[in-house]
Amino acid sequence: KRTGEILLLLNSNVEEPCRIWNVSMRKELEALIDTAEKDRTPNVRRDIEEEFAPFQDFKYASIGTELNIGGVYVRMFNNQGKDALSKIPDVPLFARALIEYV
């Protein structure tokens, strides 16, 4: 069941105050994984740090211009209207970050 849930999430488009996931992001992730796999030396055992090194500084270009304050994408927050606060797991953290930003 868990695998099915993960696949459903990976193939769904989501735009919520704390999470954005779309086709562009899937393509970026796929390209990153493909590149990392091609650059990987076959039959060589590597520790976990070496395995994840190609992913360490990765940032999604497709959401690079999204304003994120306290883990909340402000555009999505504004689009959600009065229901936006219910989708934020830590409202006080967001409020403090917003005050600090302003």
Side-chain angles (χ1 to χ4, degrees):
K1 181 181 175 183
R2 184 79 176 138
T3 303
E5 290 173 6
I6 291 170
L7 290 174
L8 181 64
L9 283 172
L10 287 174
N11 290 307
S12 299
N13 290 334
V14 177
E15 288 195 337
E16 295 179 352
C18 295
R19 181 175 46 182
I20 298 176
W21 182 248
N22 56 41
V23 173
S24 297
M25 294 173 76
R26 279 192 290 280
K27 288 180 181 179
E28 287 180 59
L29 181 59
E30 184 179 354
L32 175 68
I33 292 170
D34 285 346
T35 300
E37 188 64 27
K38 287 175 188 167
D39 293 344
R40 195 168 182 253
T41 307
N43 301 321
V44 173
R45 185 179 178 142
R46 303 184 318 174
D47 62 29
I48 195 76
E49 289 83 17
E50 290 174 312
E51 285 291 340
F52 285 105
F55 308 103
Q56 199 166 29
D57 297 322
F58 176 72
K59 291 186 179 15
Y60 289 99
S62 59
I63 60 169
T65 59
E66 290 285 346
L67 178 59
N68 187 304
I69 298 174
V72 176
Y73 293 101
V74 175
R75 183 176 62 88
M76 296 298 113
F77 177 79
N78 290 336
N79 289 345
Q80 296 285 318
K82 63 183 178 181
D83 296 329
L85 282 177
S86 66
K87 296 182 179 180
I88 297 174
D90 192 343
V91 176
L93 172 72
F94 173 57
R96 285 190 302 274
L98 191 57
I99 290 168
E100 194 173 303
Y101 179 79
V102 175

